[in-house]
Amino acid sequence: MRSWAGWTAVVGVVAGVVVLAACGGPVGGGTPATPTSGSSPAAGSCAAGHAEVTVEPGGAVEQQLCVRPGTVVTLTLRPRTDDRRWTAVHSSAPVLVLASGWRVDADGTGHASLRCAGARAGAAEVTALAKAPDVAGAARAAFRLRISVVPYAKEG
């Protein structure tokens, strides 16, 4: 696994350097998941508060993201270059990561809000489905986001 560092800005104010290691980088290259607000080096390698994941055409088909309980992840799926269109987003564990607010823009960009449980820890797989509009049959998985919800360490 590789690690990367990036700057995050919260309303124009630099929040700090965020280091994502192990669970924050993409699998197989591509644009890594990026935490935006509420993250700090003290929070460890997991995003807290809000995180954004953008899937670009030709990018990794699978990514991993480590978040703290209560984090909201904004998933943006850019239009595909093949004839397939984004059709839906499903969570393997809706009690842990709930996919809501699904919509597809006129240009083919898909958007979903993923709300992570506030008091539970565990892992869920969010699958984005895509299908060619003129082909019969069910949509198939075109992207997977593996989300690990990790609680804060307890003191005492």
Side-chain angles (χ1 to χ4, degrees):
M1 303 246 170
R2 64 181 180 179
S3 63
W4 64 276
W7 289 95
T8 55
V10 180
V11 191
V13 179
V14 176
V17 176
V18 178
V19 178
L20 293 177
C23 62
V27 175
T31 304
T34 306
T36 54
S37 65
S39 298
S40 68
S45 62
C46 295
H50 186 261
E52 293 183 3
V53 177
T54 300
V55 178
E56 298 287 341
V61 296
E62 187 175 300
Q63 290 187 25
Q64 296 179 8
L65 179 64
C66 179
V67 299
R68 298 297 185 176
T71 301
V72 176
V73 179
T74 302
L75 178 61
T76 304
L77 304 160
R78 298 283 183 221
R80 298 180 55 87
T81 55
D82 56 11
D83 65 342
R84 296 169 65 188
R85 308 288 188 264
W86 298 112
T87 59
V89 173
H90 295 287
S91 173
S92 66
V95 79
L96 185 65
V97 177
L98 179 64
S100 64
W102 171 251
R103 76 175 197 278
V104 179
D105 294 341
D107 69 351
T109 301
H111 301 274
S113 179
L114 309 172
R115 301 184 181 278
C116 300
R120 293 180 182 230
E125 184 176 280
V126 175
T127 306
L129 305 175
K131 177 182 176 305
D134 59 345
V135 177
R140 293 198 172 147
F143 174 75
R144 283 185 173 79
L145 178 61
R146 298 181 193 280
I147 299 177
S148 298
V149 179
V150 179
Y152 292 99
K154 295 182 180 179
E155 293 183 29

